[in-house]
Amino acid sequence: MRSWLTLDMSFEEFRRLVAQHAPGGISATAIPGVLVSRMDDGGSPDESTTGTVLAIVAQGTKRLSVGGSVHDYGVGQYLVASVDLPVSGQFTDATPRHPALGLGLELRPEVIAELMLSSAADFHRAARGESSPPAITVGEVSPRLLDAAVRMLRLLDHPRDIPVLAPMIEREILWLIMTGEQGATVRQLGLADSSLSRVRHVVRWMREHFTEPLRVDQLAELARMSPSAFHRAFHAVTSMSPIQYQKTIRLQEARLRLIAGPGDIGATAYAVGYESPSQFSREYRRAFGASPSEDVASLRR
């Protein structure tokens, strides 16, 4: 009984601290790499990219769609995103009186690699033998992980302690995730030559060159894999094919440009890499449920 009561009290403090320090939206904090979020409205699905992050929910429930996969996670759960993926996300129960609240920690591969190197050698070898894990996974928050998250948030009220204690708590949180039920995804981030790291390298290149024609054999060469092995690894990590990934990035970029300012739809299509405005309009409607002009007008309203 006492352990359940303690866990419930810790979650209450976790919610209070996030609410106290989250002004609205996703906000950086005084602790490097630590984010807090507050969403007052579920609204329609939002198109964005994940970044490489650990997200712990303090209040609310979120649905995240990437490729053909759907991930639901809520209070008492965390989500790990190890590759920067285009996703569609929506809080299903957020209201101004009951906002969605959460804590985010950016995942730094160099810190994960340091932890792996300082651990037992067999642990490091085991990580090398793991197959390509999915880039997005959901797990249950343990009492130890919750305790570390609460201690990290408490530092925001004691800024003098941040430079010394925050890196220690970051390492503790990463270690608990690495050795937990979803540890394979995090461990692969620490291996420079893992299939996940190779896919991350290609994804980074694709985001910087999304307007260029796609050649899978060129991407496979960049990943130092055969085309067939690269295609399998890319789909295992991202839940989509390279062509689907590029298409999603192009459409998200086009949507942002059209929302930012009125522009010619055909010119926007060419600017993001499409050779045909009609094909662009068809794929835009398929992705967002309306034509470019209808969608942008609705969003501006």
Side-chain angles (χ1 to χ4, degrees), residues 209-231:
H209 302 83
F210 67 89
T211 63
E212 300 177 13
L214 185 69
R215 290 179 46 218
V216 174
D217 56 342
Q218 179 186 9
L219 299 179
E221 184 178 347
L222 193 62
R224 292 179 288 115
M225 293 178 166
S226 69
S228 59
F230 168 72
H231 201 280

Side-chain angles (χ1 to χ4, degrees), residues 117-137:
L117 288 172
S118 63
S119 65
D122 57 345
F123 178 70
H124 198 267
R125 285 198 298 269
R128 290 186 179 278
E130 291 166 340
S131 59
S132 302
I136 296 180
T137 57

